[in-house]
Amino acid sequence: MQINNLGFKATEQPLQKKVKDESGLEAQKDQVILSGDRGGGPELIVGAYTGRLNPQIPAGSYHNLVPIGLEIKNGVGISLDGESIIVTRPEQQGKISITGHLEPGPGEHVPEGGIVYPQRDFQIVSDKNATKIDGHYDWQDYTITDKDGKREIDCKDDQEGRFDYQVVKDGNTTLVKGKYPAQNFSITKEGNKTLVKGYDENMSYTITTEGNVTKVKGNIPEREFTITDKGNEWVVDGKMAYQDFNITKKDNEVVIKGHYPQQKYVVKYGG
């Protein structure tokens, strides 16, 4: 089996592709800009989980993921826990595709549709009214809207609200609210530090930027990494090999490559 022409053997049977209804987008509403307060380095974004960066196939539980990330480009970023690609409502309208599916290797069974793990692919459409994220399954589908100073992140099939969030400003603090206490975060800025406080210390982060290096520090070693911004390239250095990524930006394409082949995603803007 291959990922973007790199060899990787499957660990379970591929899932069948489902047919989804396409619906039109609606008219413009006001937009809430909730990132952009850091004053240096990548901006913070709050959004929906899409492609998983953890090399485990299939990916593990979504229930303890962090919906807050550092923006790579136009509403797409890497989560603070390094586990997933976060998508939020971008400043620029248009289409974005995230491609991470696997392809059958020589001699392997070719599934319906010709690809393996189609749930690693996402289509995002933003207009002036909403951002809609279309995954392979209903629980991967989101609508993100801004209205009356609030950002609503609504999952279509969210297992009793586990994947829904509301983002609001409270003075100098941004509050991320979910249905359960473990989903709640507050974001504040103190000097050159951005503090993300979660349900407990293991869900909390301190972010600092010095020059072109941004440091994300959690309270366990596996939740720490640095991003070195080289202009059209990010070098993400984590504590473990599978937490290292090279992110390249060229024209309307972003390529995210990790230590293992299955950690590769291609993000394309427009089209």
Side-chain angles (χ1 to χ4, degrees), residues 3 88 98 105 111 116 155:
I3 300 176
T88 193
I98 298 175
V116 185
C155 182

Side-chain angles (χ1 to χ4, degrees), residues 81-93:
D81 58 6
E83 289 283 334
S84 56
I85 298 172
I86 299 296
V87 173
T88 193
R89 186 144 166 72
E91 294 186 28
Q92 298 178 8
Q93 301 174 51

Side-chain angles (χ1 to χ4, degrees), residues 50-194:
T50 58
R52 292 296 298 274
L53 297 175
N54 189 303
Q56 179 182 351
I57 297 289
S61 172
Y62 279 74
H63 292 169
N64 295 316
L65 296 181
V66 176
I68 304 166
L70 292 168
E71 188 175 37
I72 301 169
K73 180 178 178 179
N74 196 33
V76 177
I78 181 172
S79 63
L80 296 184
D81 58 6
E83 289 283 334
S84 56
I85 298 172
I86 299 296
V87 173
T88 193
R89 186 144 166 72
E91 294 186 28
Q92 298 178 8
Q93 301 174 51
K95 297 181 180 180
I96 302 171
S97 66
I98 298 175
T99 303
H101 66 254
L102 317 186
E103 298 179 358
E108 292 187 310
H109 170 70
V110 179
E112 181 182 353
I115 61 175
V116 185
Y117 294 108
Q119 64 266 42
R120 291 167 56 92
D121 294 350
F122 297 83
Q123 300 295 323
I124 300 104
V125 178
S126 294
D127 73 353
K128 295 180 180 181
N129 178 63
T131 294
K132 295 191 176 183
I133 300 170
D134 184 15
H136 187 70
Y137 298 108
D138 286 347
W139 56 265
Q140 295 177 300
D141 294 352
Y142 290 85
T143 300
I144 304 176
T145 55
D146 295 329
K147 185 177 182 180
D148 300 328
K150 298 179 182 179
R151 172 160 292 172
E152 299 283 352
I153 301 165
D154 181 33
C155 182
K156 183 176 181 180
D157 182 9
D158 57 5
Q159 297 187 13
E160 299 182 352
R162 281 192 179 272
F163 304 148
D164 289 348
Y165 291 92
Q166 183 184 86
V167 189
V168 297
K169 285 281 194 178
D170 182 10
N172 294 324
T173 300
T174 297
L175 299 176
V176 181
K177 301 179 179 181
K179 181 175 180 179
Y180 300 96
Q183 294 178 280
N184 295 336
F185 298 86
S186 66
I187 304 169
T188 57
K189 192 174 186 304
E190 294 184 5
N192 69 336
K193 297 180 180 180
T194 300

Side-chain angles (χ1 to χ4, degrees), residues 221-239:
E222 292 78 9
R223 296 289 177 91
E224 297 181 13
F225 61 90
T226 62
I227 298 173
T228 302
D229 188 347
K230 298 183 177 181
N232 291 327
E233 178 185 17
W234 276 13
V235 177
V236 181
D237 183 15
K239 292 295 182 181

Side-chain angles (χ1 to χ4, degrees), residues 9-23:
K9 188 171 179 58
T11 58
E12 71 171 21
Q13 292 296 318
L15 298 172
Q16 297 296 316
K17 185 173 179 62
K18 71 173 184 176
V19 177
K20 304 187 65 176
D21 293 331
E22 300 291 338
S23 58

